[in-house]
């Protein structure tokens, strides 16, 4: 028996086998996977795409990419930079509008701050705003402010309120009760609670979300340009329609560079805000 | 412990007057700069709002009277929108698995390869969705194909970034087991990392499916198929009653998809 153990690493295979728990049934996951796969295939078959053109697609796209990026035309660069600045302006003004509007609204919609009827009403409004695409909002605003960057800024500002206010009330509701109770016990009113218990706890999060809104707006402002709100999106749409691929290539490079630059700067500031807050908390706790 | 005693112990409030002033000044300067039309900023023309607010109010009034007789015509384009969203999310899901494992430190120890994938994904992510759609429509023609391609590019960027960052920010003790058993990196990823991050993937795939429904509703505006084309067409005819039916339908579908995906997510995670 002991000699057998030394020569062979397997000891009593039948016993260990029976000690193992049974494998969980794979039936339901497999069925679900099959159903999802069938639905996706059905959806793909239903799309009006000429599938036999698909193999030629990579070659075609590669050809266009060569047209765009092999020798991008830098003649229009000054104008592109100006339009980029216009897009950034649109994104920033929109973000400020959005944050300024969503802060009080979000506070009122938080549990424990506003009355229940106001809370439910506001939350329903936010849900509707979240579902309206910015572009649709811009199309309505166009009739008031015309084909100007102001339209873009207003559309970004209003469309963002739905999500931004939701982040605010979620932040308020995740605040621990202790500070609010302390202020209330000391005789503070609702306004005092908001100022001295809630605001110090949520301000880093809210500021960080405000910058995040700016980052989102940078991307969306290029989209609004496509419907005529001005900025780099308008320029890109025009030159794509003219099929001036070398200029389109340059514009895409500018869009990517500007977006990544803004993301980096804003991301660094956001990290500083959140980490600064954390250090201060530790300092107070100790 | 008396109150006086305590007051003596409370540390001085930290003050950063200069730093705060600089930060505020910087913010104000940037904000003012973005509002100067002379250098390309936004012209805050409040006068135009005062003069033309009636136009917008009229449009809203027209939008408030949806022409429900138009609803049957929206069914087919809406179906196309949903199909595009689903196919885009499915293709992106397939592509995102290898790319994510490639872009995370724990599953890909080779730095050059990881940096390469991350750079590509970051560049892909920096281009807005409708910009892809515009350029792709010009490349491959009007229809659902540029729409699906747009959604795939957009989704892959999001899923790969979020999931690979989630992998990077957690510990992976279980992968040691695979390494100790002498597995290659591919085997370790397949047997340990993949089952571990599967819920993360499922969560993000559902999220991009929601996003896709939102986006594909407007992709048609630049000619990439779906209900957006109908929206744009009716708007061009100033048929705001029809436009409002389309918008309402988008609202309903987006909310339904959100509720469904929340239900699914609660079961999965």
């Amino acid at each position: 028996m002991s000699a057998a153990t030394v020569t062979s690493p397997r000891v009593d295979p039948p016993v260990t086998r029976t000690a193992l728990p049974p494998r969980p049934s794979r039936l339901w996951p497999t069925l679900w996977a099959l159903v999802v796969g069938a639905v996706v295939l059905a959806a793909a078959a239903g799309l009006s795409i000429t599938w036999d053109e698909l193999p030629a697609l990579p070659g075609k796209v590669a050809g266009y990419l060569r047209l765009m990026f092999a020798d991008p035309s830098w003649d229009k660069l000054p104008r592109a930079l100006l339009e980029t600045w216009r897009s950034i302006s649109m994104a920033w003004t929109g973000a400020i509008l959005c944050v300024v509007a969503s802060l009080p609204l979000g506070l009122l919609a938080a549990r424990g701050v506003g009355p229940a009827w106001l809370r439910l009403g506001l939350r329903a409004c936010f849900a509707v705003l979240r579902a309206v695409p910015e572009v649709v909002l811009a199309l309505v605003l166009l009739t008031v402010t015309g084909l100007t960057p102001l339209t873009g800024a207003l559309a970004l500002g209003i469309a963002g309120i739905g999500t931004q206010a939701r982040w605010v009330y979620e932040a308020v509701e995740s605040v621990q009760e202790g500070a609010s109770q302390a202020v209330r016990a000391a005789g503070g009113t609702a306004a005092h609670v908001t100022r001295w218990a809630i605001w110090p706890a949520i301000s880093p999060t809210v500021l960080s979300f405000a910058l995040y809104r700016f980052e989102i707006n940078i991307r969306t402002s290029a989209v609004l340009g496509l419907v005529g709100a001005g900025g780099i999106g308008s320029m890109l749409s025009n030159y794509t329609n003219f099929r001036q691929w070398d200029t389109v290539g340059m514009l895409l490079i500018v869009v990517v560079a500007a977006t990544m630059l803004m993301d980096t700067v804003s991301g660094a500031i956001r990290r500083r805000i959140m980490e600064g807050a954390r250090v201060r908390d530790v300092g107070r706790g100790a | 412990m008396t109150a006086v005693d305590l007051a003596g112990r409370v540390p001085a409030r930290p003050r950063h007057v200069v730093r705060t002033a600089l930060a505020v000044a910087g913010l104000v300067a940037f904000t003012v700069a973005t509002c100067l039309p002379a250098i390309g900023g936004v012209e805050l023309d409040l006068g135009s709002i005062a003069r033309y607010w009636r136009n917008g109010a009229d449009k809203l009034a027209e939008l408030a009277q949806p022409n429900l007789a138009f609803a049957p015509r929206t069914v087919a384009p809406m179906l196309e929108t949903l199909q595009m969203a689903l196919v885009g999310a499915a293709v992106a899901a397939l592509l995102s698995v290898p790319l994510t494992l490639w872009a995370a430190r724990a599953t890909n120890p080779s730095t050059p390869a990881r940096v390469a994938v991350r750079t590509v994904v970051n560049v892909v992510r920096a281009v807005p969705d409708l910009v892809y759609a515009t350029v792709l429509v010009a490349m491959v023609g009007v229809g659902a194909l540029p729409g699906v391609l747009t959604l795939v590019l957009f989704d892959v960027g999001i899923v790969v970034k979020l999931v690979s960052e989630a992998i990077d920010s957690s510990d992976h003790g279980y992968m040691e087991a695979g390494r100790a058993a002498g597995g290659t990196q591919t085997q370790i990823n397949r047997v340990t990392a993949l089952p571990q991050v599967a819920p993360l993937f499922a969560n993000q795939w559902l999220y991009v499916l929601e996003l896709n429904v939102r986006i594909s509703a407007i992709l048609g505006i630049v000619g990439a198929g779906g209900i957006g084309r109908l929206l744009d067409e009716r708007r061009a005819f100033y048929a705001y009653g029809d436009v409002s039916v389309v918008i309402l339908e988008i609202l309903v579908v987006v909310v339904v998809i959100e509720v469904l995906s929340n239900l699914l997510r609660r079961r999965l995670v």
Side-chain angles (χ1 to χ4, degrees):
Chain A
M1 180 68 198
S2 69
T5 326
V6 171
T7 46
S8 141
R10 279 192 181 173
V11 189
D12 297 334
V15 175
T16 34
R17 278 283 154 75
T18 44
L20 279 176
R23 258 184 108 90
S25 159
R26 304 283 305 155
L27 180 65
W28 283 109
T30 317
L31 275 182
W32 272 110
L34 283 178
V35 169
V36 171
V39 170
V40 169
L41 283 182
L47 283 174
S48 54
I49 295 176
T50 39
W51 296 102
D52 41 324
E53 274 179 20
L54 219 51
L57 191 69
K60 214 163 142 190
V61 172
Y64 281 114
L65 287 180
R66 208 171 310 117
L67 279 178
M68 284 196 279
F69 297 115
D71 184 24
S73 140
W74 297 99
D75 305 344
K76 307 274 189 325
L77 184 64
R79 173 105 195 278
L81 290 179
L82 185 79
E83 295 291 346
T84 306
W85 173 248
R86 186 164 289 158
S87 283
I88 292 175
S89 304
M90 213 149 69
W92 181 258
T93 343
I96 288 187
L97 267 174
C98 171
V99 170
V100 166
S102 62
L103 197 55
L105 292 176
L107 270 173
L108 283 176
R111 194 164 300 130
V113 181
W117 58 268
L118 188 61
R119 185 169 74 228
L120 294 177
L122 280 173
R123 287 188 184 198
C125 290
F126 299 156
V128 170
L129 271 181
R130 273 203 300 278
V132 181
E134 292 90 353
V135 174
V136 172
L137 209 59
L139 292 178
V140 173
L141 287 168
L142 275 180
T143 60
V144 179
T145 45
L147 288 169
T148 59
L150 179 60
T151 307
L154 285 175
L156 289 172
I158 297 171
I161 290 177
T163 319
Q164 199 76 19
R166 181 180 175 182
W167 288 340
V168 171
Y169 74 68
E170 279 174 355
V172 173
E173 283 172 3
S174 69
V175 169
Q176 294 191 343
E177 272 291 288
S180 307
Q181 280 171 1
V183 176
R184 231 171 275 131
T189 61
H192 286 133
V193 172
T194 310
R195 171 64 186 89
W196 297 109
I198 296 175
W199 175 247
I202 63 164
S203 59
T205 321
V206 166
L207 283 179
S208 158
F209 278 148
L211 277 172
Y212 187 51
R213 172 58 48 193
F214 173 56
E215 287 171 42
I216 297 176
N217 281 0
I218 291 265
R219 288 184 169 75
T220 321
S221 66
V223 169
L224 290 179
L226 298 178
V227 297
I232 191 82
S234 298
M235 197 172 167
L236 193 77
S237 153
N238 288 340
Y239 282 96
T240 311
N241 289 340
F242 303 154
R243 300 291 192 273
Q244 286 200 14
W245 295 107
D246 45 355
T247 310
V248 171
M250 182 272 289
L251 287 172
L252 281 177
I253 294 174
V254 171
V255 167
V256 169
T259 313
M260 288 174 86
L261 180 71
M262 282 296 156
D263 274 5
T264 314
V265 172
S266 161
I269 301 177
R270 268 197 298 144
R271 217 162 303 129
R272 177 71 189 76
I273 291 174
M274 292 307 282
E275 277 164 16
R278 219 169 293 143
V279 168
R280 210 166 58 195
D281 274 354
V282 169
R284 272 186 193 159
Chain B
M1 196 184 285
T2 62
V4 179
D5 197 359
L6 194 77
R9 277 161 185 251
V10 170
R13 241 189 115 126
R15 283 184 186 278
H16 310 285
V17 181
V18 177
R19 229 174 55 191
T20 315
L22 276 179
V24 170
L27 275 180
V28 170
F30 192 71
T31 310
V32 170
T34 58
C35 296
L36 289 179
I39 56 166
V42 176
E43 190 179 1
L44 289 182
D45 185 8
L46 298 179
S48 78
I49 299 183
R51 253 173 290 140
Y52 301 117
W53 67 271
R54 285 211 68 92
N55 288 352
D58 289 348
K59 288 284 130 38
L60 284 180
E62 280 178 59
L63 282 174
Q65 301 156 4
N67 171 21
L68 289 178
F70 185 68
R73 271 188 61 192
T74 62
V75 173
M78 193 42 142
L79 199 64
E80 192 185 23
T81 286
L82 289 174
Q83 285 170 331
M84 276 162 53
L86 189 62
V87 173
V91 176
L94 289 181
L95 288 177
S96 66
V97 173
L99 284 176
T100 306
L101 295 183
W102 214 339
R105 189 184 301 271
T107 47
N108 179 11
S110 144
T111 307
R114 197 171 60 234
V115 170
V117 175
R118 281 196 183 173
T119 313
V120 170
V121 169
N122 279 337
V123 169
V124 167
R125 247 168 38 82
V127 182
D129 41 17
L130 274 190
V131 170
Y132 274 128
T134 314
V135 175
L136 282 169
V137 165
M139 281 182 182
V140 302
V142 174
L145 184 58
V148 173
L149 291 176
T150 301
L151 294 175
V152 169
L153 285 168
F154 180 76
D155 295 350
V156 164
I158 293 183
V159 175
V160 171
K161 180 184 157 66
L162 292 179
V163 178
S164 70
E165 279 178 0
I167 295 179
D168 275 350
S169 66
S170 57
D171 277 341
H172 299 283
Y174 53 87
M175 293 186 73
E176 295 280 307
R179 209 158 288 132
T184 63
Q185 189 65 44
T186 321
Q187 288 170 328
I188 297 172
N189 289 349
R190 158 86 187 72
V191 177
T192 64
L194 213 49
Q196 198 72 21
V197 296
L200 288 178
F201 271 120
N203 200 4
Q204 294 307 328
W205 291 339
L206 282 175
Y207 171 63
V208 294
L209 182 63
E210 272 174 56
L211 281 181
N212 279 0
V213 174
R214 259 164 233 251
I215 299 165
S216 58
I218 51 170
L219 281 180
I221 291 180
V222 295
I227 198 155
R229 199 172 47 211
L230 195 65
L231 181 83
D232 201 42
E233 180 198 303
R234 302 319 294 171
R235 189 188 63 87
F237 290 147
Y238 300 102
Y240 284 94
D242 301 353
V243 170
S244 108
V245 170
V246 174
I247 295 178
L248 280 177
E249 208 161 320
I250 295 176
L251 287 187
V252 170
V253 169
V254 165
V255 170
V256 167
I257 294 279
E258 215 177 295
V259 169
L260 280 181
S261 101
N262 275 340
L263 283 179
L264 260 180
R265 193 170 294 158
R266 219 164 292 153
R267 286 204 50 176
L268 282 171
V269 182

